Amino acid sequence: MTLGVALDASSAVNQVDASVELARQAAAAGLTSAWFGQTFGADSPQLAALVGREIPALHVGTSAVPVFGRHPLTVSGQAQTAQAATHGRYHLGLALGTKLLTEGGFGLPFERPVARLREFLTALRQLTETGSADFRGQLLTAATPIPARVPGAEKPVPLLVAAMGPQALRASGELADGILPYLAGPRALEEHIVPAVTAAAESAGRPAPRVVALVHGVVTDDVDAVRERASERLAFYEQIPSYARVIELSGGRRASDVAVIGDEKKVADEVRRYRDAGATEVVFAGTDLSGEADRLRTWDLLGSLA
């Protein structure tokens, strides 16, 4: 995967049908991957599996499934099923989640998130690579008295983490295949995120990690109006400490300050900045900020760069 898009059809009459159609358009534009966020609505691994099976030209991924409120056995079954459905083109993203959604939605205490992430990754890797596990940690247990292998999912599912803080980056470098930073500009990537996750992977004897940068942006001529809409849409993230920190490390004050908004040259230059900062893949979200014409214009540019 090189350049992709995050697809959100949650306002459509039928989200699955609309997602397939959007993915078809993305593939036609020359993009190489489609990613699906996880909310309290559609199940993103299922959505990725359905879309990936319909559109063989695309890799598909989730960005990302929180580890609170889930169990490695369940997530492994979802991920392996998606991997079998797409014949090896599925990529699983995990996230620590937030205190607001974990406690407000699941009624679970948001405690020791990095320790939970470590245990979750350890058990999940056993399951996705071997179809079995015998993990007994402080926070969770994952054992397989019966096999947990999904036939057709022989290729191990890549495990990525939406990590940006020092502890999460260390855990991801040691235990995952890469990271999915969001709202992290080139400065934060180059000076803080990429060095930390790379050093952790090296110390653990693991290969260089993938850095899949999720970028909020769109090609448009109406820059001021679109940035204002981005400010409204992204304001939620400013109240979450991990995002507020990475926005500041990127040189921004508001989340919209790190959004990539402008004409083709501006956006293409920013994509190159992300790659120069260490991103191995770039995925654009928010391409629907200014309507259908600008979305297609954005996808055409990204497809040409891919």
Side-chain angles (χ1 to χ4, degrees):
M1 293 189 294
T2 303
L3 278 167
V5 286
L7 302 182
D8 180 6
S10 56
S11 61
V13 174
N14 185 302
Q15 186 171 355
V16 175
D17 291 345
S19 296
V20 170
E21 179 55 33
L22 284 172
R24 202 181 306 280
Q25 293 176 20
L31 291 157
T32 57
S33 67
W35 295 76
F36 303 90
Q38 180 64 55
T39 64
F40 291 146
D43 181 77
S44 57
Q46 286 191 63
L47 196 54
L50 290 164
V51 169
R53 189 166 180 82
E54 289 283 331
I55 316 296
L58 289 177
H59 284 255
V60 290
T62 59
S63 57
V65 177
V67 295
F68 282 91
R70 273 88 177 174
H71 190 278
L73 280 167
T74 306
V75 173
S76 171
Q78 291 177 299
Q80 289 188 68
T81 301
Q83 187 72 308
T86 60
H87 296 273
R89 290 177 286 112
Y90 175 68
H91 306 255
L92 173 63
L94 299 171
L96 278 73
T98 67
K99 181 181 178 70
L100 174 65
L101 297 180
T102 300
E103 297 188 351
F106 291 107
L108 298 173
F110 189 69
E111 298 174 350
R112 303 180 65 189
V114 175
R116 179 172 293 275
L117 173 67
R118 283 185 171 277
E119 293 194 4
F120 205 103
L121 282 168
T122 301
L124 185 61
R125 185 169 293 283
Q126 292 180 21
L127 289 162
T128 57
E129 290 187 351
T130 70
S132 63
D134 185 13
F135 178 82
R136 303 175 194 280
Q138 296 180 349
L139 301 174
L140 61 85
T141 293
T144 49
I146 60 174
R149 166 60 70 197
V150 175
E154 282 71 25
K155 181 179 179 180
V157 178
L159 305 181
L160 309 170
V161 180
M164 294 181 291
Q167 294 184 64
L169 287 169
R170 187 177 306 115
S172 301
E174 293 173 2
L175 299 169
D177 299 305
I179 57 172
L180 289 159
Y182 179 47
L183 298 179
R187 182 193 300 179
L189 284 177
E190 183 174 20
E191 297 179 3
H192 301 277
I193 292 174
V194 175
V197 72
T198 301
E202 289 177 352
S203 67
R206 293 190 54 77
R210 291 167 56 188
V211 179
V212 184
L214 273 75
V215 180
H216 208 86
V218 63
V219 175
T220 184
D221 295 323
D222 197 5
V223 175
D224 292 339
V226 174
R227 193 169 295 279
E228 180 61 30
R229 286 196 287 275
S231 294
E232 296 173 1
R233 179 178 293 188
L234 299 174
F236 167 79
Y237 295 97
E238 296 165 9
Q239 62 185 309
I240 301 173
S242 59
Y243 286 106
R245 175 182 178 273
V246 80
I247 291 165
E248 182 179 0
L249 291 175
S250 300
R253 185 178 62 87
R254 302 287 308 277
S256 59
D257 293 338
V258 296
V260 176
I261 301 170
D263 61 15
E264 280 82 357
K265 183 180 185 306
K266 165 70 173 177
V267 173
D269 287 345
E270 287 299 304
V271 169
R272 294 185 186 97
R273 285 188 65 211
Y274 274 91
R275 287 177 168 165
D276 291 344
T280 59
E281 298 148 64
V282 177
V283 175
F284 264 59
T287 58
D288 61 340
L289 276 170
S290 59
E292 179 86 353
D294 281 348
R295 175 181 67 79
L296 294 174
R297 184 178 169 189
T298 306
W299 289 12
D300 283 343
L301 170 68
L302 296 175
S304 69
L305 295 175

